[in-house]
Amino acid sequence: MTAATSGPPAEPSRQGTLLLLVRHGETPTTGMVLPGRAPGLHLSDRGRAQAERVSERLSCLPVDALYSSPLERACETAEPTAARTGLAVKHDDGLLECDFGEWTGSAIADLAALPEWQTVQHSPSAFRFPNGESFPEMQARIVGAMEALCSAHAGGVVVCFSHADPIKAAVAHALGTPLDLFQRIVISPGSVSAISFVEGQDPAVHMVNSTAEPLSGLRAS
């Protein structure tokens, strides 16, 4: 009988940190107004149903931590998941909506008529909202938040409740997509996007804008 070749044991596969980026549910002004960081905007009935659906889809995952943008619509989306998991929701300013400055509260139809709107859509890396945030600043902010959460919960599953533009920017960064193309990514209300991080490797994007399929396959319980 030939002896088995000796050698160092194979390195076990490493399970990375899984971040789930959840866009808040619909509000009465979704798709019509650029609410930004203005306070007092709450979920609609449809938005609350979307939040419940998110919690149901997450029930099959071993969630370690919940984080949310401090804005009401994001926190309300997190509430059903917090109730189901028994985890407290921690606020993280890195998950905040983009600061739209003087455009906050404006009707999207009115903004779309401005020449600057073309820059927002096609060259966002060159645009700063009047007295607000630039797109590169927004992207750096949420990417920094994700890196901090990966360090704080290495190997775990972290659910982050945020907003469309920051999630789009985070997904673009993980994919290696230039910021000027990030508007091609669609992030719907109540959707889940999943990115895993293993130290020393590029991020892996498992799903984007998922609103229906099961999440159980993302991580063994």
Side-chain angles (χ1 to χ4, degrees):
M1 180 180 294
T2 304
T5 302
S6 62
E11 180 182 357
S13 60
R14 290 181 291 170
Q15 185 166 248
T17 308
L18 181 65
L19 296 188
L20 303 179
L21 304 177
V22 181
R23 183 185 173 186
H24 64 80
E26 286 186 15
T27 73
T29 65
T30 295
M32 297 180 289
V33 171
L34 208 62
R37 299 180 178 181
L41 182 59
H42 299 274
L43 295 182
S44 63
D45 289 344
R46 179 176 171 82
R48 285 188 287 274
Q50 290 167 337
E52 291 288 349
R53 174 61 178 152
V54 168
S55 74
E56 293 168 2
R57 297 179 67 207
L58 292 171
S59 64
C60 57
L61 287 175
V63 177
D64 294 281
L66 304 177
Y67 289 86
S68 177
S69 157
L71 294 174
E72 294 97 333
R73 57 194 188 272
C75 294
E76 290 170 5
T77 304
E79 286 174 0
T81 300
R84 186 180 290 270
T85 61
L87 297 171
V89 180
K90 300 177 183 179
H91 291 175
D92 190 330
D93 288 346
L95 302 175
L96 267 168
E97 175 65 287
C98 185
D99 183 355
F100 296 129
E102 295 174 10
W103 286 19
T104 299
S106 298
I108 293 175
D110 293 339
L111 296 173
L114 300 176
E116 295 91 340
W117 190 253
Q118 294 305 310
T119 303
V120 169
Q121 297 302 311
H122 303 294
S123 302
S125 67
F127 187 80
R128 175 185 294 278
F129 290 95
N131 291 319
E133 196 172 25
S134 72
F135 282 106
E137 287 171 341
M138 177 194 71
Q139 185 178 53
R141 168 169 56 79
I142 192 165
V143 169
M146 291 194 303
E147 290 173 349
L149 293 178
C150 284
S151 295
H153 303 281
V157 177
V158 182
V159 184
C160 305
F161 296 85
S162 187
H163 307 266
D165 279 353
I167 295 175
K168 286 160 56 176
V171 170
H173 182 270
L175 290 171
T177 300
L179 185 58
D180 281 340
L181 301 181
F182 98 118
Q183 297 284 24
R184 299 183 183 186
I185 299 170
V186 174
I187 300 295
S188 302
S191 68
V192 179
S193 300
I195 308 172
S196 65
F197 298 84
V198 175
E199 187 176 356
Q201 299 180 16
D202 290 332
V205 178
H206 296 270
M207 60 172 54
V208 177
N209 198 41
S210 167
T211 58
E213 61 262 45
L215 301 174
S216 56
L218 290 173
R219 177 64 60 94
S221 57

